[in-house]
Amino acid sequence: MPFKPPEVVKCPKCNQNVYAAEEVPAAGKKWHKMCFKCGLCKKMLEAMTMAEHEGQVYCKQCYARKFGPKGYGFGQGAGTLGMDTGEHLGNKSGSEMTNKPNYAPPPGAGLHE
């Protein structure tokens, strides 16, 4: 039986060889420990504290901010309404957000006789 060298896996972040002593298996791939960090905040990740989107890994907080639901009831704390559009995270907003109501007042409202 001929000798077969072990298969060398490439890190998805740096595209360098990942050897067994330095690998971190997550998201179906093997990463270098130092390459396995959030794509936005650069915080070091663990398999239980990460979320994956289109080949990129994120910490759960950054993933929720970038890809999670937006609007009323989805703020960071109880009862918050954030006006953050997420542009610093790379999100493109199709419409400007404002705190002004988008309805017309009923006829005669605001008029005093």
Side-chain angles (χ1 to χ4, degrees):
M1 186 153 108
F3 172 74
K4 252 170 67 174
E7 182 181 329
V8 179
V9 180
K10 301 277 186 185
C11 173
K13 185 83 168 183
C14 69
N15 207 30
Q16 299 295 315
N17 293 343
V18 178
Y19 298 101
E22 59 187 5
E23 75 180 29
V24 177
K29 300 173 181 138
K30 294 182 179 180
W31 308 72
H32 291 116
K33 185 174 184 172
M34 296 309 292
C35 293
F36 192 56
K37 14 182 164 173
C38 177
L40 292 175
C41 70
K42 309 297 182 217
K43 182 169 74 173
M44 297 300 290
L45 299 174
E46 296 174 5
M48 298 302 295
T49 63
M50 60 81 63
E52 187 262 339
H53 185 82
E54 296 179 355
Q56 293 288 327
V57 289
Y58 303 95
C59 67
K60 291 196 178 198
Q61 278 187 322
C62 288
Y63 179 85
R65 285 186 190 138
K66 187 165 176 69
F67 303 109
K70 310 279 186 283
Y72 183 75
F74 295 104
Q76 271 72 26
T80 62
L81 175 61
M83 299 308 291
D84 181 11
T85 61
E87 289 178 11
H88 66 285
L89 300 173
N91 292 344
K92 309 277 190 278
S93 63
S95 62
E96 281 297 314
M97 293 179 69
T98 178
N99 62 353
K100 296 180 183 173
N102 61 356
Y103 59 85
L111 299 177
H112 294 72
E113 296 180 31

